[in-house]
Amino acid sequence: MTPTLMLVIYMAILTWLALLVASLIRVKGWTPSGTLLALGNRENLPAATPIAGRAERAARNTLENFVLFAAIALVAHAAGATSPKVATGAQIFFWARVLYLPVYCAGITYLRTAIWVVGVVGLAMMVLGML
């Protein structure tokens, strides 16, 4: 398995964890009543706290970006693109997403945007590595 495909797997795990953590923060899953909400149909959820809202938006953004990353990585693999730009771009994207989640949850707006841009640069590097 190539390093880029390993990063697709790591991104899938990171995305799943982001969605899980956002859900648990929203319902306060560490409390008995939160556990009941988490195990239920999630009807009548309490209003999202500011951090819960940020965690949900960060997780959703990670999911949206994971789709793009996976598509580019899989096309690169299928095309046999072996340029170092593809692997480097994938690494940049992955580590940008690792940083993005806690920064977004902490509410650090401008840094969050800068990290997001770094991730997009990583995606662009991957595409340029295939041309």
Side-chain angles (χ1 to χ4, degrees):
M1 183 174 304
T2 67
T4 301
L5 289 181
M6 283 302 300
L7 286 169
V8 172
I9 292 170
Y10 296 154
M11 264 310 298
I13 294 167
L14 181 66
T15 302
W16 178 77
L17 287 173
L19 292 165
L20 178 66
V21 167
S23 178
L24 290 175
I25 291 172
R26 173 71 183 264
V27 299
K28 297 180 182 168
W30 55 89
T31 66
S33 61
T35 301
L36 290 175
L37 275 173
L39 295 173
N41 291 329
R42 301 194 183 188
E43 296 165 351
N44 303 316
L45 288 177
T49 63
I51 191 166
R54 289 191 302 269
E56 287 175 350
R57 290 188 299 276
R60 191 170 39 250
N61 185 274
T62 298
L63 179 61
E64 293 164 356
N65 281 269
F66 172 59
V67 170
L68 299 173
F69 171 70
I72 294 167
L74 294 174
V75 167
H77 181 73
T82 58
S83 167
K85 277 187 181 178
V86 174
T88 302
Q91 291 173 359
I92 289 170
F93 174 82
F94 175 77
W95 290 110
R97 296 312 301 188
V98 168
L99 290 173
Y100 179 86
L101 288 165
V103 168
Y104 197 140
C105 289
I108 307 170
T109 54
Y110 298 112
L111 181 58
R112 177 198 82 209
T113 302
I115 293 169
W116 179 84
V117 169
V118 170
V120 170
V121 168
L123 293 176
M125 285 177 64
M126 293 173 70
V127 170
L128 292 172
M130 290 188 280
L131 301 179

